[in-house]
Structure formats: structure tokens, C-alpha cells
Amino acid sequence: MSSSKQNERRDDEDPLRAKVRAIADRGGARSVAVAYHDYETETGWSYRGDEWFHAASTIKVPVLLGVFRAVEDKRLTLLARVHVRNLFRSAVDDGSTFRVAANRDANSVVPRNIGKTMRVQELAHHMITTSSNLATNLLIDAVGVDAITDTLRKLKLDKGVEFRRGVEDDAAHAADINNRCTADGMLEVLRTIEERKAFSEESSAQMLDILHQQEFRSGIPGRLPDGVKVANKTGEISTVAHDAGIVYVPEREPYALVVLTEWEAGGRTGGRSDTIARISRAVYDHLTGGNG
């Protein structure tokens, strides 16, 4: 069922929709979109899944696809060394440059290597697991914005994901050049990795391994039972907080889940991850018959 038709259903006809709305309202979210695909039943569901949000750091998963496409095309190797620097050309076509502010990068390892080199596989690890903005921009430069965009287009992911620039490019942000996604679109990115159809088995396994090492676990994994494993990528800036992941439940097939949320500027940030975690638990209960 398409997201538009799904959204037309009344809450009493769709209990999960009602629960998601209630959780979002209690948390104070201005807007929420949710999408899942369940491999156990081969069914999907979305709530406002075609609405666009600033992608924040969830865009790093499409960048990861671009990196591994370059590896498979032999334009890059995971062992290739990249010179670590902190100066990048803005997506605004005026010759301007930008840097990643030290206090806006969740990772300390990559900045400590400025002036040295790091392997592509190390940068990919830090881009996802600790959400390093510096690692992300270095990989974008190594692969190329156009090449990443072309990867998304060839994989037919560009209808729900717009990749246009590196992260922390404030001049581009001011010019409304931003990375955006829909819940439905980011769900297809996750499915591309999990279903191992667009990439080799080896590349797919390596991408999943990186996602499984994610250090930020307060969103989708936050309220799930012990024993449930999640390969995920979070994303948060001033007005949005997201999580996108593949949930592996013992003794059943996994499901892919995306939760995108938008909040009032200047509002509290403490409950955002918990709102995502509660929505995640509602989806888990819906799919597994849990009573959380």
C-alpha cells in the first residue's frame, strides 16, 4: 500500500498508525515519518513515508553505497590511503571552502590524523560508527559527488534520496543545497544492502558489518529486547533526529525500519531519541506480537 493511501486510513483502521501518532505527540515532535519492510512476511508499511526531511547524518549510508560501488568498479580500494585534511570545496559554485568544526564532529580519531593518511576502510568505519563528519567529507572527495549521485540513480534510489553535498557546508545550507530523504527512500537504501542484489556478497557483508558496529544505540535499538541486534545509522541536527536500521530478531527474518522526526527549532533535544525508540518498539510489537 502506498504511503498516501496509508495516510488516508483512520487511526481505528490502523492501530500502528495511531500508536505512532500518539508517541510523536507525547514526545513533542513536529513531524514524523516511519517506514518498514518485514522480510518474515514480505510486507511493508509506511506512515507519511513520501514526505521529505533534511537527511542529517543518515545520508552517510548512501555515501557508503557510493564508496563500495567505487570499490567494486575498481576505482578505489578499501586499503587505499587518503590524505587527511580539513579543507573542502563548498557545493556553492563560487570557489568558497569550508572546514569541519572540531566541536561538531562526534569523532576524535580522524581529526588527530590531520596531516597523515588513513585507509578508506578506516574512514568508512568512522563515518558510520561514530558519525565522523571529517571522515565523510574525505570519502566524498575520494569518490566524488557526481559518482555517488550516479550510484543512487543507477540503483533507482534517487526518487527518495537527494545527495548534493558534503556535511557542515554552511554556505551550501544557506543556499538551500541540502541532502534530503524520505522514509520510503531511506528504507530502499537499507534494502539494497540487506538483500545483497546490487552489490557482491562480500561488499554487502562488509557494509552490514560496519552498520552493526554503530555506537549510537539510543534510537531504534533503545527499547528493544535483549538479543535483538540492529545495524543502524542515526542522524541529528538542530531540528531533526532520525534513525535507519535493519533489525535482527532471533528465530525470525529481519525487518528494515526508518524513523524520521522533525522538531521545533530551539526546543528540547533530550527526548528525541526516546521518541524514536518508542516508535521502534511499537513496530517491533506490531510485527512480533510483543506487548511492550
Side-chain angles (χ1 to χ4, degrees):
M1 178 178 291
S2 71
S3 59
S4 59
K5 290 183 179 178
Q6 181 70 53
N7 290 342
E8 291 171 2
R9 296 180 64 180
R10 300 198 316 269
D11 288 354
D12 58 356
E13 296 176 330
D14 187 345
L16 181 57
R17 169 188 166 94
K19 195 156 192 177
V20 167
R21 287 172 58 99
I23 293 169
D25 289 345
R26 283 199 304 271
R30 185 169 68 184
S31 183
V32 169
V34 182
Y36 74 68
H37 178 80
D38 181 27
Y39 289 100
E40 178 76 11
T41 60
E42 288 298 340
T43 59
W45 177 93
S46 68
Y47 169 63
R48 307 179 80 166
D50 57 359
E51 292 191 13
W52 289 91
F53 290 73
H54 190 297
S57 285
T58 61
I59 200 64
K60 294 168 184 176
V61 185
V63 173
L64 190 68
L65 294 183
V67 170
F68 275 85
R69 174 54 65 205
V71 170
E72 294 209 334
D73 291 346
K74 302 189 184 309
R75 292 180 284 113
L76 194 64
T77 72
L78 291 176
L79 297 180
R81 289 195 170 274
V82 176
H83 179 248
V84 180
R85 69 197 190 289
N86 191 3
L87 185 66
F88 305 96
R89 186 178 298 278
S90 173
V92 176
D93 191 19
D94 62 357
S96 61
T97 58
F98 69 98
R99 299 177 187 272
V100 174
N103 62 353
R104 294 171 71 177
D105 200 317
N107 174 279
S108 61
V109 176
V110 183
R112 286 203 304 267
N113 279 277
I114 289 176
K116 304 176 184 178
T117 64
M118 294 182 70
R119 297 189 188 277
V120 167
Q121 63 184 10
E122 294 176 292
L123 294 172
H125 170 85
H126 289 299
M127 175 177 70
I128 298 296
T129 63
T130 61
S131 205
S132 170
N133 292 337
L134 186 55
T136 303
N137 287 340
L138 290 167
L139 287 172
I140 290 170
D141 271 12
V143 178
V145 171
D146 290 343
I148 296 171
T149 301
D150 189 55
T151 293
L152 298 178
R153 180 183 60 80
K154 288 180 177 177
L155 293 174
K156 296 181 170 54
L157 299 172
D158 55 331
K159 298 298 186 291
V161 177
E162 286 185 359
F163 172 73
R164 302 183 67 189
R165 62 171 175 85
V167 290
E168 303 297 345
D169 186 349
D170 291 339
H173 177 70
D176 200 28
I177 302 173
N178 291 309
N179 301 318
R180 303 194 304 157
C181 68
T182 68
D184 289 343
M186 194 57 69
L187 184 71
E188 291 304 311
V189 172
L190 295 175
R191 293 186 63 183
T192 296
I193 300 173
E194 173 62 25
E195 293 173 16
R196 298 165 170 81
K197 294 177 181 178
F199 292 84
S200 67
E201 177 67 33
E202 181 181 10
S203 290
S204 300
Q206 288 173 315
M207 286 188 281
L208 284 170
D209 183 60
I210 293 171
L211 289 165
H212 271 293
Q213 296 177 60
Q214 173 62 240
E215 295 186 11
F216 301 113
R217 296 289 186 178
S218 59
I220 287 175
R223 288 180 172 268
L224 297 181
D226 293 340
V228 176
K229 299 184 182 301
V230 181
N232 68 305
K233 180 69 195 82
T234 59
E236 184 167 0
I237 56 174
S238 59
T239 58
V240 303
H242 311 319
D243 204 353
I246 305 165
V247 181
Y248 299 86
V249 182
E251 300 183 3
R252 85 184 301 277
E253 294 298 314
Y255 61 90
L257 173 64
V258 178
V259 183
L260 308 179
T261 67
E262 186 170 3
W263 306 77
E264 295 294 340
R268 64 185 181 87
T269 61
R272 296 180 180 185
S273 292
D274 192 56
T275 295
I276 294 172
R278 289 178 183 276
I279 291 172
S280 170
R281 182 57 191 245
V283 171
Y284 170 87
D285 291 341
H286 174 77
L287 292 176
T288 66
N291 57 2

